Amino acid sequence: MSEAQPLFATLRQSAKPDIVDALERLVHDAPDRKLGRVNALAFAASEGLDEEQAINGFLHASRLGLFEMSWNILCPGCGGVLDANTSLKTVQNDVYHCSLCAAGYEPTLDEMVEVTFTVSPRVRHIEAHNPHELPPLEYLRQIYWGSGVDLPDENYEAKVEEFVLEALELPAGEKAVISLQLPEAFVIVFEPVTHAAQFVDVKGEPTKERQPLSLVFDRGFRHGDTLQLRPGPVRIQVENHTDVRTLPSVCLANDALHDMLGRRRPFLTAKRLLSNQTFRDIYRTDTIDVDQRLKITSLTFLFTDLRGSTELYERVGDLAAFDLVKTHFSILHEIVRTEAGAVVKTIGDAVMATFPTPDRAVAAAMRMRDAMRRLNEERGGEDLLLKIGIHEGPCIAVSLNERQDYFGQTVNIASRVQHLATSREIFATGSVLEDPRAFHILAEAGVTPKSHNVALRGITDQINIFLIP
């Protein structure tokens, strides 16, 4: 733990004092299970901290080696971790399968990839650093379930026992037999290490004859067809063909199981992190592999441009114009950062930024316009006339020109919408203002958007555009 002290001292140079204090308490005082795959949003809520500042704190702490980041592929159904990655670059599969839900999912960065933080073993060793030595129930809690499943702190073991009939630890290469009485119910033989599951529909006339069932756990088996057995004794022979311990259990698919998995809480998604300015500043190109195409189902894009910037250079001179434009960029960057967004790139005098939700983009746009108005008033002129366009929709995260970028029709439309605007105008599409939180921001500001249909260059259908006066 002594190694952590200078790291926390360094962290105070880049993160807020209250964030560093909370992280230091976490590392020093929290039980082991609270330091593996930490949910940054839940941590912020429990400590009464600002979410964005907490995320930034974890990012800076990870850069210093206090924590290790993990990019986990989640099942959107049960919330289990289907794959854990130290980098987004290793998310390469087209489809990830969940045996517990008997379904396959194409990964998206919205709700299927979570980012968590585990304390570094250099700072403090915890049980989860050796996951195959964890007790079975702790393996489920700390390794299998994602941080979005709000597992109970109190009476966790008792609640699990309400749906687990039998569980055992099976060493590598070993065989074992599970003997028990099957009730009339839907039963799942589940193995979380290999992500294997066998459904058993137990129904019909009870029997006294022992019914046999054989299962082999290896990296290939995931899910077999549902079997039918009768209520009564069963002999389940299990074989572990892997090189690590497995944890087969016999579970009831009852209300207790569904209630536990139905308790959900917000978690840090890959989409949100990719739209975080601190993350982009720290990790830059080391995020997406050049050949990756990662889908995002909903991201909000904001484009800005200065009207008449060429005339500005001619009117006030290159040096004065450059300083003024540089000040404008600095203001926009700070507004984007504080609204949980990130600047993707600047193109001439234009900015392309992303936000995880439309309301953040709308709030940023209105702040940008007000900031430019104040700057003009201070200078006693109309030198900075900002045009803004906002659009929300699906896109693909890619690596272009050695930086993380985005591609798709949503990006094209957002850019075209910005080109429609004249000085001091904000144009947003219908998909942006359909977001209740974005509409609420405008209502609170006493702003009534004005709607009209327009045709955009390169876009086949007309779209509904709103002018935000």
Side-chain angles (χ1 to χ4, degrees):
M1 191 72 75
S2 60
E3 189 174 343
Q5 299 307 318
L7 295 178
F8 277 114
T10 304
L11 182 60
R12 292 184 186 280
Q13 300 173 18
S14 52
K16 298 287 187 181
D18 58 337
I19 302 294
V20 181
D21 290 343
L23 290 176
E24 196 164 13
R25 288 195 302 272
L26 176 71
V27 170
H28 280 85
D29 303 332
D32 278 13
R33 62 182 174 81
K34 293 284 190 178
L35 287 166
R37 292 187 183 168
V38 178
N39 180 327
L41 305 189
F43 174 76
S46 67
E47 295 289 331
L49 301 170
D50 176 80
E51 279 189 357
E52 292 304 314
Q53 295 296 342
I55 294 169
N56 294 343
F58 274 109
L59 290 172
H60 285 295
S62 298
R63 178 180 58 84
L64 293 172
L66 284 161
F67 288 87
E68 297 173 344
M69 275 198 299
S70 179
W71 304 74
N72 309 319
I73 310 297
L74 302 179
C75 170
C78 68
V81 175
L82 305 180
D83 192 18
N85 304 269
T86 57
S87 167
L88 193 55
K89 289 183 176 181
T90 56
V91 180
Q92 296 283 354
N93 292 2
D94 293 331
V95 177
Y96 287 85
H97 294 274
C98 177
S99 58
L100 191 57
C101 295
Y105 304 95
E106 183 181 17
T108 66
L109 301 184
D110 301 67
E111 297 297 332
M112 274 194 66
V113 183
E114 69 169 1
V115 183
T116 57
F117 301 87
T118 297
V119 69
S120 169
R122 291 193 304 124
V123 174
R124 175 177 161 182
H125 184 80
I126 60 172
E127 293 175 338
H129 288 146
N130 302 105
H132 296 298
E133 296 178 8
L134 284 168
L137 295 191
E138 285 304 314
Y139 185 93
L140 285 173
R141 171 153 61 178
Q142 298 184 41
I143 305 299
Y144 186 79
W145 302 120
S147 69
V149 180
D150 192 9
L151 297 172
D153 281 329
E154 301 291 332
N155 300 318
Y156 166 71
E157 292 81 3
K159 290 182 181 298
V160 172
E161 288 173 358
E162 293 180 14
F163 58 83
V164 173
L165 296 176
E166 193 69 55
L168 59 84
E169 299 181 54
L170 188 60
E174 296 293 318
K175 301 179 182 179
V177 172
I178 302 173
S179 295
L180 73 159
Q181 292 284 327
L182 286 179
E184 184 171 359
F186 197 84
V187 172
I188 305 172
V189 183
F190 177 54
E191 202 298 293
V193 178
T194 60
H195 290 249
Q198 177 62 60
F199 293 172
V200 183
D201 192 6
V202 184
K203 61 184 180 180
E205 288 293 322
T207 180
K208 294 184 179 180
E209 296 182 6
R210 189 170 298 278
Q211 303 165 96
L213 175 59
S214 296
L215 295 174
V216 175
F217 302 118
D218 57 31
R219 298 299 180 182
F221 177 81
R222 287 292 181 268
H223 178 78
D225 294 334
T226 300
L227 303 176
Q228 287 195 357
L229 294 177
R230 294 160 63 186
V234 65
R235 183 179 188 274
I236 306 174
Q237 179 170 310
V238 289
E239 298 183 32
N240 180 3
H241 287 192
T242 74
D243 57 358
V244 296
R245 175 197 68 168
T246 55
L247 302 170
S249 61
V250 183
C251 305
L252 296 173
N254 58 12
D255 289 342
L257 174 62
H258 293 135
D259 288 346
M260 178 170 285
L261 301 189
R263 290 163 50 97
R264 300 300 172 94
R265 61 184 181 181
F267 59 89
L268 179 59
T269 64
K271 178 187 85 168
R272 181 166 179 178
L273 197 59
L274 293 183
S275 286
N276 177 282
Q277 190 65 55
T278 298
F279 175 79
R280 291 187 70 97
D281 291 344
I282 292 175
Y283 292 93
R284 298 187 183 275
T285 62
D286 190 32
T287 305
I288 299 174
D289 194 52
V290 68
D291 295 323
Q292 277 182 297
R293 305 291 185 266
L294 298 171
K295 292 187 176 180
I296 299 175
T297 57
S298 172
L299 192 63
T300 304
F301 291 87
L302 180 149
F303 280 82
T304 75
D305 197 8
L306 284 175
R307 179 190 176 190
S309 57
T310 302
E311 293 84 350
L312 172 64
Y313 278 84
E314 183 175 343
R315 186 169 64 253
V316 303
D318 289 347
L319 186 59
F322 175 78
D323 288 341
L324 192 56
V325 171
K326 185 178 177 182
T327 299
H328 135 273
F329 275 135
S330 177
I331 292 172
L332 297 195
H333 272 73
E334 183 58 24
I335 291 173
V336 170
R337 180 191 296 273
T338 57
E339 290 295 343
V343 173
V344 178
K345 56 188 172 184
T346 57
I347 312 155
D349 299 325
V351 168
M352 172 185 174
T354 59
F355 296 85
T357 53
D359 59 307
R360 294 285 195 151
V362 170
M366 297 178 69
R367 288 179 59 191
M368 289 173 179
R369 181 167 61 183
D370 290 343
M372 292 304 103
R373 181 182 292 116
R374 287 193 299 270
L375 189 57
N376 283 330
E377 289 173 355
E378 291 171 5
R379 290 180 48 83
E382 292 289 319
D383 293 324
L384 297 175
L385 301 175
L386 200 62
K387 306 185 298 177
I388 304 175
I390 313 171
H391 181 49
E392 173 274 338
C395 64
I396 299 173
V398 298
S399 179
L400 289 175
N401 301 321
E402 298 186 343
R403 69 165 163 248
Q404 180 215 318
D405 208 333
Y406 299 92
F407 178 81
Q409 190 74 312
T410 298
V411 183
N412 297 333
I413 291 175
S415 177
R416 301 283 191 273
V417 169
Q418 179 270 313
H419 284 295
L420 292 176
T422 59
S423 61
R424 290 182 174 173
E425 286 184 339
I426 301 171
F427 276 11
T429 59
S431 63
V432 173
L433 295 190
E434 285 169 5
D435 180 89
R437 292 166 298 181
F439 190 83
H440 178 70
I441 287 174
L442 297 178
E444 277 199 329
V447 173
T448 303
K450 300 175 182 178
S451 170
H452 54 279
N453 293 327
V454 299
L456 299 177
R457 179 171 56 86
I459 309 299
T460 303
D461 298 326
Q462 285 195 339
I463 65 173
N464 201 19
I465 300 292
F466 291 84
L467 167 64
I468 301 175

